[in-house]
């Protein structure tokens, strides 16, 4: 396994875990409900529709798997695009913010509407909080990790 693949796997697991933990915490704070399997079933409903909500452990596992597939897709994309745009390495925080916004837009304007998730209106406060979660849990960590990886890779060849 090469270094890029290893770093993508590490980064994907890290940001996927940060993101799902943030979703669990937000769900608990907002609803008081400790049953986080509802979040995983919601994710599974993107593929399986309303049946996911009445499903058992297989739907929970499917939701977790789908969550990590999506997290890895955004991680792979970021690590492949990062070295092609030198502007990314100039400001890690700004890059993370922009990438978090990009993820939010892709998820809310493409992925969710194209899925079988039941339609619901976007609430402004939920949209802002989910945007902040994506920036803090995925965008900024990926920006720091990719910057460090490519800087170290570049230094190894100089």
């Amino acid at each position: 396994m090469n270094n890029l693949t290893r770093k993508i796997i590490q980064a994907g697991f890290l940001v996927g875990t940060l993101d799902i933990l943030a979703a669990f915490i937000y769900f608990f704070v907002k609803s008081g409900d400790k049953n986080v399997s509802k979040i995983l079933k919601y994710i599974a409903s993107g593929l399986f529709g309303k049946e996911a909500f009445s499903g058992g452990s297989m739907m929970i596992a499917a939701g977790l798997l789908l969550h990590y597939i999506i997290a890895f897709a955004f991680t792979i994309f970021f690590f492949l695009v990062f070295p092609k745009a030198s502007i990314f390495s100039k400001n890690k925080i700004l890059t993370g913010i922009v990438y978090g916004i990009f993820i939010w837009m892709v998820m809310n304007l493409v992925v969710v509407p194209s899925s079988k998730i039941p339609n619901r209106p976007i609430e402004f406060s939920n949209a802002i909080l989910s945007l902040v979660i994506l920036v803090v849990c995925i965008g900024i960590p990926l920006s720091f990790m990719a910057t460090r990886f490519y800087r170290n890779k570049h230094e190894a060849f100089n």
Side-chain angles (χ1 to χ4, degrees):
M1 179 181 325
N2 68 30
N3 288 339
L4 177 60
T5 302
R6 187 176 302 114
K7 183 51 73 175
I8 287 172
I9 291 170
Q10 292 171 348
F13 274 118
L14 175 67
V15 300
T17 301
L18 290 173
D19 183 49
I20 200 68
L21 288 175
F24 291 163
I25 292 166
Y26 175 62
F27 176 75
F28 173 71
V29 169
K30 186 170 181 176
S31 68
D33 190 345
K34 295 179 185 175
N35 186 0
V36 295
S37 68
K38 292 177 181 177
I39 292 184
L40 298 172
K41 288 180 179 182
Y42 175 80
I43 295 168
S45 76
L47 197 58
F48 300 102
K50 292 179 183 177
E51 295 80 38
F53 296 105
S54 58
S57 59
M58 290 302 285
M59 285 300 158
I60 295 167
L64 189 61
L65 179 62
L66 286 170
H67 169 75
Y68 276 101
I69 288 170
I70 293 167
F72 273 96
F74 281 115
T75 300
I76 291 165
F77 180 74
F78 189 80
F79 269 84
L80 294 178
V81 170
F82 187 89
K84 293 174 180 28
S86 64
I87 193 167
F88 289 153
S89 62
K90 301 215 185 314
N91 188 325
K92 294 179 285 235
I93 300 291
L94 182 59
T95 297
I97 292 169
V98 169
Y99 197 61
I101 292 168
F102 170 77
I103 294 169
W104 186 92
M105 290 174 59
V106 169
M107 290 302 299
N108 288 280
L109 302 176
V110 178
V111 175
V112 172
S114 301
S115 74
K116 293 182 178 181
I117 291 176
N119 287 338
R120 65 175 203 200
I122 295 178
E123 294 178 23
F124 182 74
S125 61
N126 287 344
I128 294 299
L129 190 55
S130 67
L131 176 63
V132 169
I133 288 170
L134 292 171
V135 166
V136 171
C137 295
I138 299 179
I140 292 174
L142 283 179
S143 180
F144 274 82
M145 293 168 81
T147 299
R148 185 174 185 183
F149 174 78
Y150 286 107
R151 182 183 316 125
N152 291 344
K153 184 177 175 185
H154 178 72
E155 290 171 359
F157 290 108
N158 287 333

